[in-house]
Amino acid sequence: MIKEKLEKIKNQELSAKENVENFLAKIEEKDDEINAFIEINKKAVEEAKKVDEEIKKGRNLKLAGLVFAIKSNINVKGLRATCASKTLENYVSTYDATVIERLKKEGAIIIGMTNMDEFACGSSGETSYFGPTLNPRAKERIPGGSSSGSAAAVAGEMCDIALGSDTGGSIRNPASHCGVFGLKPTYGLVSRYGLIDLAMSLDQIGPISSDVYGVAVALEVIGGYDVRDNTTLKYKPKYELNGVENYTIAYAKEFEEICDKRIYSEFLKGLRILENKGAKIVEISLPNLEKGLPAYYLINFVEFFSATRKFDGRRYGYRIEEVCGKEVLRRILLGKYISQKEYSGKYYKKALRFRNLIREEILKALSNVDLIASPVTPKLPHKLGEEIEPLEMYKYDILTVIANLAGIPAGVAPLSKINNIPVGIQFQAKPLEEQKIINAMHAVGEEK
Amino acid sequence: MKVMIGFEIHEQLKTQQKLFCECSTDYMHAEPNTNVCEICTGMPGAKPMPLNEKALDAVIAIALMLNCDIKREVYIQRKHYDYPDLPNGYQRTSTPIGVNGELVGVRIWEVHLEEDPGKYDPITGRVDYNRCGVPLVEIVTAPDISSAEHAREFLKELRKVLEYTGVVREEGGTMRVDVNISIEGGARVEIKNINSIKGVYRAIKFEIARQQNLLKRGIKVKRETRAFLEEQMITKAMRTKEEAQDYRYIPDPDLLPIFITQERIEKIKQSLPESPFEKEKRFIKQYGIDAETAKVLASELELANAFEEVAKHVDARIAALWIKDELKRILNYNDLTFKQSGIKAEHIVELIKMMQSKEITQKTAKKIMEILVKNPKSPKEIVKELGLSRIADKESLEKIVEEAINENKKAVEDYLNGKKEALNFIVGAVMRKTRGRADAKIVLELIKSKISA
């Protein structure tokens, strides 16, 4: 439990150094198989010693000695931010992302950079240039993606907390498949400064942890206004772990059609847990739900095309189109195609209109309730290495892209297992109502 | 033959910091790649900071001076193209800030803000990112210009207005112009990246001649983009319309829309100087000077201000003439602006007063003006240091006049034979001997009396 460990470190019953060393041993033992990390921070022990000194001096650090794993699309000075791509194979960050600065300031230790789908373009963790990541809780299955290594590092007990990024579900999808907690914050709650872009208007950095306390405490530290990200909100987050008494929690009738029967039946059990804890469950309708996916992908392609123009081969070694994997190339070429002047009205602008439609629909639905609960993915993770069509792959995201399109927060808590494969439950709330999501995640988490 | 010319004019704005980061805008004097950061070099993951508000104010000021309507909602867009000087692979450029403007009969279509790219040297292959992110204003005109001469006149007027606003960079050579030119019977051609008014003039002259030549030979003129080659003063094909670049503009998701309030516009309006055109009109009326003189005085804001200051202390018309005929001539000769020369209004007042009180001659005054341009300080001191005060006492002059007469017998003879102008020659000789300090009237009297005696 993260809270108890934090207390122990603060009380000097456990040193930051020991905490790091324990995890390094775990990584040594497990990660050849799991492949959650691309690079380990060689200075982690040294940095932990410094944190221990600070603790001895009596400094109150919010994350004293906790060990973080960082997705490889977030800049950590001196470590490689490869985006799991050959394109940035040798790119060593020259600066810390804002979230990293904030973590370090509160005594967190960065243990290493995690594996991911190349440039975060994927939902399975299989498209990394550095090889796929295994799901520590269901090893023949994919861990989900794109924050595959971050979720696997948490599930495999190779760190306390991990940071991932979520553009259309990339934190929540692997958190669900790996049976851990993950939260995509309100767009603008967490600074994107130092996050290598997938789709700028959708990307958010968020925490993944083995319990909800870990998610909440990490989000408190990394959240808040940053002058280096124009889209951040002037808001300082502070969270507690409370219950869901008197919450009205909605679910949409459309979920049933979309989802695997087994997943839907587990989801209904999840609703009953919440009901037993005092929440009121109501049914709503989200008729535009299925428009989310095409709108999401069109916006994603266009913004990704724009974001990757800097990888032109002049500064970082390779031109992206020449060395990237199939999925990254597909998105760049589609983005290039649909952003042509002659098609802008036909595709991109239409996608932006759909986006508004979906945002309005979900905000309207949320105006009457505290939370919308849903399954996380409509199907169970496929077997590692199993060939699936791009459109099949995109379908994993149907229930998660809505939160990104609408800019609202969404969190995932582990719910149960189907054939030994973890299944999570998702909660969405109004902008900046992460507290309600954390409470619901807590309520479900207590049952485990 | 009808010619239609429109411009896209870029000028750097005078701000301390770049458009989207806090780096210094000094790219001219700093060592290459020293005024850079993650943001302006587009490192992976870096994001722009909020737009530099001073740069936005500057563009609003320029748009207002060009009689534009100000757009209340502005977006920053990404304009994609692939070039070594562009670290992100796109340039950030705003949607129009000013629209529907007008200057000396030329319609201004739009005025917007954008960031300068770095500097790429194709020979060494090196890029200097110091300039990357320096704010630029872009002014787009309607095709209302009809000739190379008209183009030159308009650009001079525009530059004057821009200088008046005080928000553009003063170091010369930062104006970059793209010319759109359509010639009756020919085709629309864009000429890129011309760096001077003279260059624009020559490019247009060349382009008209080139198209006329093709037409004469019955060759169809291609619609294309051409580059101006400064050294050869010709234009050269870059790409045809079919190869035209698609910049794939998208609103930059990293930046929020900008809302310009009425209060902000009003505040900037209050701070704007009178336009050169209005100033000329007022000068003519208020000081009773002619249009040509008023135009010269208003050609530079600091010069106009200095004139008004001088006019408080001495006769405005005399001041106007001296500034127009002497000061401005000398400034032009030395290729200096009034501001660059460092001359102060009080210097001019002192000079004119000394002349009026006959402490110095007109000729000396002109000489002092020349010295002032290079070494601005009190004219009184200059007179003292160089011994330039007027020589008016007859005794000192008599000896010099005699010398001059003796050395110029031929002129004396001519004069006595009725050739009156010959006298001027002798006066000139006296002036040379006294370095212009002799009182011309007394000298003339002395010569006359000596010769007739």
Side-chain angles (χ1 to χ4, degrees):
Chain A
M1 300 304 267
I2 303 293
K3 191 175 182 182
E4 286 69 30
K5 185 189 261 186
L6 195 54
E7 292 302 316
K8 269 178 150 179
I9 297 174
K10 283 182 179 172
N11 298 334
Q12 297 175 48
E13 291 163 43
L14 173 73
S15 71
K17 179 171 168 281
E18 284 162 343
N19 194 28
V20 169
E21 283 169 345
N22 290 342
F23 282 125
L24 286 172
K26 273 271 172 60
I27 292 169
E28 180 72 24
E29 176 199 328
K30 287 178 157 182
D31 204 45
D32 276 349
E33 189 193 5
I34 305 291
N35 200 22
F37 286 91
I38 291 174
E39 181 172 17
I40 299 300
N41 178 12
K42 294 193 180 68
K43 292 183 183 155
V45 173
E46 205 179 299
E47 285 164 19
K49 282 186 196 161
K50 279 189 195 141
V51 171
D52 282 327
E53 280 167 32
E54 293 285 315
I55 295 167
K56 273 180 200 143
K57 279 185 208 154
R59 269 201 62 196
N60 187 21
L61 300 165
K62 267 188 167 171
L63 301 172
L66 291 184
V67 167
F68 276 72
I70 308 296
K71 191 173 180 180
S72 288
N73 58 355
I74 299 172
N75 279 277
V76 180
K77 192 173 179 179
L79 298 181
R80 284 183 304 155
T82 59
C83 290
S85 178
K86 185 170 172 151
T87 316
L88 290 176
E89 191 182 358
N90 301 309
Y91 167 62
V92 178
S93 298
T94 58
Y95 69 102
D96 277 333
T98 299
V99 291
I100 301 302
E101 269 181 21
R102 290 180 181 178
L103 289 183
K104 285 180 176 174
K105 218 175 124 199
E106 292 297 339
I109 292 135
I110 312 298
I111 200 163
M113 305 301 289
T114 59
N115 208 349
M116 58 188 278
D117 278 296
E118 185 180 16
F119 278 102
C121 294
S123 311
S124 73
E126 295 167 298
T127 66
S128 166
Y129 172 65
F130 301 96
T133 300
L134 260 61
N135 186 334
R137 301 260 164 90
K139 279 181 190 159
E140 79 289 3
R141 301 275 160 169
I142 57 155
S146 65
S147 308
S148 48
S150 289
V154 171
E157 296 167 338
M158 295 184 274
C159 64
D160 290 306
I161 303 171
L163 291 189
S165 68
D166 189 312
T167 309
S170 283
I171 286 174
R172 292 162 285 158
N173 166 309
S176 177
H177 291 338
C178 292
V180 294
F181 294 79
L183 193 146
K184 179 210 90 80
T186 304
Y187 187 78
L189 176 61
V190 178
S191 169
R192 293 176 298 117
Y193 189 81
L195 169 68
I196 300 176
D197 305 315
L198 168 52
M200 294 68 74
S201 73
L202 302 163
D203 297 340
Q204 270 292 291
I205 295 171
I208 298 172
S209 183
S210 51
D211 67 24
V212 70
Y213 180 83
V215 167
V217 72
L219 191 56
E220 263 184 24
V221 170
I222 63 173
Y225 178 75
D226 176 18
V227 71
R228 291 175 300 179
D229 178 357
N230 197 211
T231 59
T232 50
L233 305 165
K234 295 208 164 109
Y235 178 85
K236 189 69 205 138
K238 180 97 189 78
Y239 304 114
E240 296 168 353
L241 302 189
N242 296 319
V244 292
E245 298 83 24
N246 303 321
Y247 275 12
T248 305
I249 300 177
Y251 72 99
K253 58 180 191 220
E254 288 83 3
F255 296 157
E256 189 172 4
E257 303 155 31
I258 296 170
C259 293
D260 179 307
K261 274 201 184 79
R262 295 167 295 175
I263 288 182
Y264 192 70
S265 107
E266 291 304 317
F267 168 66
L268 291 180
K269 284 184 209 161
L271 291 181
R272 245 165 277 144
I273 296 172
L274 294 160
E275 203 167 27
N276 289 337
K277 299 216 168 193
K280 188 177 146 205
I281 307 296
V282 296
E283 190 190 85
I284 57 163
S285 174
L286 296 171
N288 286 308
L289 188 66
E290 291 194 63
K291 291 199 178 86
L293 213 50
Y296 167 78
Y297 273 100
L298 290 183
I299 292 167
N300 184 303
F301 298 159
V302 170
E303 293 188 10
F304 185 56
F305 167 76
S306 176
T308 52
R309 293 312 82 209
K310 66 178 63 172
F311 306 120
D312 57 8
R314 293 187 179 100
R315 285 170 298 269
Y316 308 104
Y318 303 105
R319 190 169 159 257
I320 188 166
E321 289 88 343
E322 284 164 9
V323 294
C324 69
K326 261 197 296 193
E327 180 57 25
V328 167
L329 187 61
R330 176 169 22 248
R331 293 191 189 196
I332 291 173
L333 295 180
L334 284 169
K336 186 177 181 184
Y337 179 78
I338 61 185
S339 62
Q340 286 177 89
K341 208 172 164 189
E342 52 183 309
Y343 294 142
S344 71
K346 195 166 157 192
Y347 297 114
Y348 186 56
K349 290 208 178 115
K350 200 179 256 180
L352 292 179
R353 271 205 304 280
F354 273 170
R355 179 182 190 163
N356 278 335
L357 194 73
I358 289 155
R359 182 191 285 137
E360 278 163 26
E361 180 172 288
I362 196 99
L363 288 178
K364 188 164 169 261
L366 279 165
S367 68
N368 301 317
V369 301
D370 295 294
L371 292 163
I372 295 174
S374 77
V376 186
T377 59
K379 51 184 181 173
L380 291 172
H382 60 265
K383 288 202 172 111
L384 198 66
E386 188 185 323
E387 285 276 334
I388 73 168
E389 288 298 313
L391 283 178
E392 277 304 302
M393 187 71 89
Y394 294 169
K395 273 187 192 157
Y396 273 114
D397 305 333
I398 190 163
L399 294 164
T400 46
V401 295
I402 303 298
N404 303 80
L405 289 169
I408 58 173
V412 163
L415 182 61
S416 60
K417 284 188 171 185
I418 298 167
N419 299 338
N420 251 338
I421 303 164
V423 177
I425 182 168
Q426 172 175 246
F427 300 102
Q428 300 176 80
K430 290 192 257 307
L432 295 177
E433 289 193 346
E434 275 81 356
Q435 180 63 64
K436 287 182 179 171
I437 293 172
I438 286 168
N439 289 346
M441 287 163 73
H442 182 52
V444 176
E446 276 178 337
E447 283 302 301
K448 277 195 64 194
Chain B
M1 188 196 52
K2 205 177 166 201
V3 178
M4 284 164 74
I5 300 163
F7 292 131
E8 284 165 34
I9 300 140
H10 300 83
E11 182 80 75
Q12 285 175 349
L13 299 171
K14 192 170 66 181
T15 59
Q16 295 293 310
Q17 295 181 344
K18 292 184 179 180
L19 197 48
F20 295 110
C21 64
E22 292 174 334
C23 288
S24 160
T25 51
D26 173 19
Y27 69 89
M28 287 183 165
H29 312 295
E31 285 290 304
N33 296 310
T34 52
N35 284 332
V36 294
C37 69
E38 281 84 16
I39 298 171
C40 56
T41 54
M43 294 298 284
K47 307 280 182 287
M49 291 174 82
L51 181 86
N52 183 339
E53 296 290 336
K54 289 194 174 132
L56 179 59
D57 281 345
V59 173
I60 296 172
I62 290 168
L64 288 171
M65 285 290 274
L66 297 173
N67 305 301
C68 289
D69 301 329
I70 304 299
K71 286 273 187 185
R72 307 298 293 274
E73 197 175 333
V74 174
Y75 295 86
I76 305 298
Q77 305 186 97
R78 292 180 172 190
K79 175 183 178 179
H80 301 90
Y81 64 92
D82 181 33
Y83 202 67
D85 65 5
L86 204 57
N88 279 313
Y90 55 82
Q91 183 185 22
R92 290 195 186 91
T93 162
S94 81
T95 54
I97 294 170
V99 293
N100 302 326
E102 185 270 339
L103 178 71
V104 290
V106 173
R107 286 171 296 155
I108 306 293
W109 269 342
E110 65 164 86
V111 177
H112 66 254
L113 180 62
E114 59 184 44
E115 59 179 353
D116 218 347
K119 262 187 177 168
Y120 170 59
D121 181 345
I123 294 159
T124 61
R126 287 196 182 148
V127 181
D128 176 6
Y129 290 124
N130 282 348
R131 196 178 71 180
C132 223
V134 169
L136 293 178
V137 62
E138 179 172 345
I139 299 160
V140 183
T141 78
D144 290 347
I145 292 145
S146 55
S147 67
E149 289 73 20
H150 187 191
R152 185 168 56 189
E153 192 188 318
F154 169 76
L155 288 176
K156 277 188 180 166
E157 195 61 33
L158 177 68
R159 175 168 284 172
K160 190 160 69 185
V161 171
L162 292 179
E163 280 166 7
Y164 260 56
T165 61
V167 296
V168 297
R169 252 177 130 109
E170 282 149 24
E171 292 136 301
T174 61
M175 191 190 249
R176 271 164 279 161
V177 183
D178 297 341
V179 177
N180 275 299
I181 174 165
S182 304
I183 296 167
E184 201 173 8
R188 208 185 113 171
V189 163
E190 187 182 13
I191 310 167
K192 283 259 179 219
N193 253 323
I194 313 175
N195 296 316
S196 64
I197 295 179
K198 202 198 270 174
V200 170
Y201 177 80
R202 289 182 171 158
I204 294 172
K205 281 276 185 206
F206 176 85
E207 189 55 27
I208 292 174
R210 186 187 72 88
Q211 293 201 20
Q212 277 176 333
N213 249 324
L214 289 174
L215 292 172
K216 241 184 257 168
R217 290 186 285 158
I219 302 169
K220 195 174 180 295
V221 182
K222 260 188 287 182
R223 182 168 175 181
E224 62 186 353
T225 301
R226 301 179 67 84
F228 179 61
L229 306 181
E230 181 105 49
E231 277 128 59
Q232 292 146 276
M233 288 192 278
I234 61 167
T235 66
K236 194 183 151 211
M238 276 171 82
R239 52 177 181 265
T240 63
K241 191 190 164 232
E242 287 68 39
E243 304 161 323
Q245 271 183 325
D246 183 349
Y247 295 120
R248 296 182 161 77
Y249 284 99
I250 60 164
D252 191 330
D254 286 333
L255 289 157
L256 301 175
I258 299 149
F259 298 98
I260 301 173
T261 63
Q262 191 59 44
E263 290 94 302
R264 184 172 188 171
I265 298 169
E266 285 306 322
K267 208 176 149 206
I268 294 170
K269 245 184 206 162
Q270 299 303 320
S271 72
L272 287 182
E274 183 182 29
S275 79
F277 179 67
E278 286 163 11
K279 204 180 277 294
E280 281 170 35
K281 277 202 301 195
R282 181 169 61 79
F283 278 9
I284 294 168
K285 218 172 137 199
Q286 186 176 341
Y287 299 108
I289 56 179
D290 62 59
E292 195 204 328
T293 307
K295 197 172 172 116
V296 173
L297 294 178
S299 65
E300 189 190 337
L301 183 61
E302 272 81 11
L303 184 69
N305 290 342
F307 161 69
E308 294 205 85
E309 189 55 36
V310 172
K312 284 181 196 161
H313 304 282
V314 298
D315 185 292
R317 272 184 277 193
I318 293 175
L321 281 179
W322 270 84
I323 290 171
K324 174 185 154 247
D325 291 343
E326 294 306 320
L327 176 57
K328 192 63 190 171
R329 178 183 60 80
I330 299 161
L331 287 173
N332 286 347
Y333 181 77
N334 289 290
D335 199 17
L336 285 173
T337 63
F338 178 72
K339 192 181 180 190
Q340 285 168 340
S341 78
I343 298 178
K344 302 273 177 297
E346 65 245 37
H347 297 151
I348 303 170
V349 172
E350 208 174 285
L351 185 66
I352 293 176
K353 279 191 171 164
M354 279 164 75
M355 194 175 64
Q356 285 179 325
S357 66
K358 303 226 158 118
E359 277 170 69
I360 55 170
T361 63
Q362 279 209 15
K363 202 151 190 165
T364 303
K366 287 180 190 177
K367 193 174 207 167
I368 290 171
M369 200 72 107
E370 273 173 33
I371 295 166
L372 268 180
V373 168
K374 282 166 200 155
N375 183 18
K377 59 179 180 184
S378 159
K380 276 206 170 116
E381 267 175 51
I382 298 175
V383 167
K384 217 164 154 192
E385 276 170 29
L386 301 178
L388 288 174
S389 58
R390 188 176 66 116
I391 309 173
D393 70 301
K394 286 195 180 171
E395 270 171 47
S396 342
L397 285 175
E398 238 169 34
K399 213 176 135 231
I400 300 163
V401 168
E402 267 169 31
E403 267 176 44
I405 290 172
N406 289 336
E407 285 160 17
N408 294 287
K409 294 282 191 216
K410 175 91 171 56
V412 174
E413 215 168 286
D414 288 347
Y415 175 72
L416 291 174
N417 288 335
K419 209 173 164 190
K420 292 257 188 293
E421 316 87 78
L423 212 53
N424 292 338
F425 195 80
I426 303 166
V427 174
V430 174
M431 285 303 177
R432 271 194 297 281
K433 284 175 187 291
T434 60
R435 290 179 297 141
R437 292 158 59 209
D439 187 307
K441 217 172 137 196
I442 298 172
V443 169
L444 202 64
E445 274 170 25
L446 277 172
I447 295 169
K448 277 184 186 166
S449 71
K450 293 259 174 211
I451 291 175
S452 28

